[in-house]
Amino acid sequence: MRSVAAVASGVRITWMQIPAQVRAGVEAIIGGGAVVTAVSQSGGFSPGTADRVVTADGRRAFVKAVSTIQNEQTPSLHRAEAHVVGQLPPNSYVPALLGVYDDGAWVGLVFEDLDGHTPAVPWSATELEAAMTALRQMAEAFTPSPVPDLPSVTNFYSTAFAGWERIRTEPPTELEPWARHHLDGLCRFADRGLACLA
């Protein structure tokens, strides 16, 4: 590997911190020889790698890889993402999934690398409007869902949104007085939030 540029912030790992056998598996999916350039991408919440890579023969890809060492839940999130993206019809909204590396501990997703950039923070009005337009168009293009047996967003988040109700049912002794006093309202807001997702 001739050069590696890292510009990510936070706790994200880099391409060179992935075990050699995982890098080799990802390179086999991309084709074109070894990765010679990897530029780490900032943003997002995963502690795993997120790199735009280029192979020896000039092939490009976007790679996300993580293991249970970085976070116990993130590999299953990567698998779920691969399950969904891998079943989407050809479209202009989501980069195509080129392949998945999964050895049980490490999960690497390999996507086509598209030109572009992440939105500036704070968001500009122009980029926010572009993102909202794309989301509306995606909702139309992917309704009904092209992924069979995908749980609804309300089913997926129902447990998370029921957190305040669980606290109200069995309040912990160290619960902050403000939260204890406002539990009924917090439960109503959670119910409203889940309804808005629907």
Side-chain angles (χ1 to χ4, degrees), residues 12-176:
R12 189 183 299 287
I13 61 173
T14 64
W15 171 255
M16 289 307 295
Q17 291 174 295
I18 302 171
Q21 75 273 12
V22 178
R23 293 196 311 269
V26 167
E27 288 167 340
I29 292 169
I30 301 169
V35 166
V36 295
T37 303
V39 179
S40 187
Q41 302 301 293
S42 60
F45 300 99
S46 170
T49 185
D51 291 286
R52 298 176 85 166
V53 302
V54 181
T55 63
D57 77 349
R59 297 186 195 186
R60 296 168 43 201
F62 174 69
V63 178
K64 296 167 57 172
V66 71
S67 78
T68 53
I69 295 170
Q70 288 77 44
N71 182 286
E72 289 184 6
Q73 287 79 36
T74 305
S76 63
L77 294 174
H78 276 34
R79 290 183 185 105
E81 180 178 358
H83 171 73
V84 172
V85 176
Q87 296 185 74
L88 293 178
N91 67 87
S92 59
Y93 305 108
V94 181
L97 180 65
L98 303 178
V100 179
Y101 173 91
D102 191 341
D103 63 13
W106 280 90
V107 178
L109 307 185
V110 183
F111 295 93
E112 65 177 329
D113 184 37
L114 303 179
D115 290 327
H117 65 277
T118 55
V121 178
W123 283 63
S124 70
T126 301
E127 288 185 329
L128 180 59
E129 182 57 34
M132 295 306 295
T133 297
L135 288 171
R136 283 191 296 269
Q137 292 171 347
M138 286 175 66
E140 294 172 4
F142 298 145
T143 301
S145 173
V147 183
D149 302 322
L150 193 65
S152 70
V153 70
T154 50
N155 287 343
F156 188 82
Y157 285 107
S158 60
T159 300
F161 275 77
W164 285 115
E165 185 59 46
R166 290 192 300 274
I167 291 172
R168 181 167 64 176
T169 303
E170 296 183 33
T173 55
E174 67 276 9
L175 184 62
E176 289 290 329

Side-chain angles (χ1 to χ4, degrees), residues 179-192:
R180 186 179 301 276
H181 180 72
H182 291 90
L183 274 175
D184 289 342
L186 292 167
C187 288
R188 283 194 303 273
F189 280 129
D191 290 343
R192 181 179 171 195

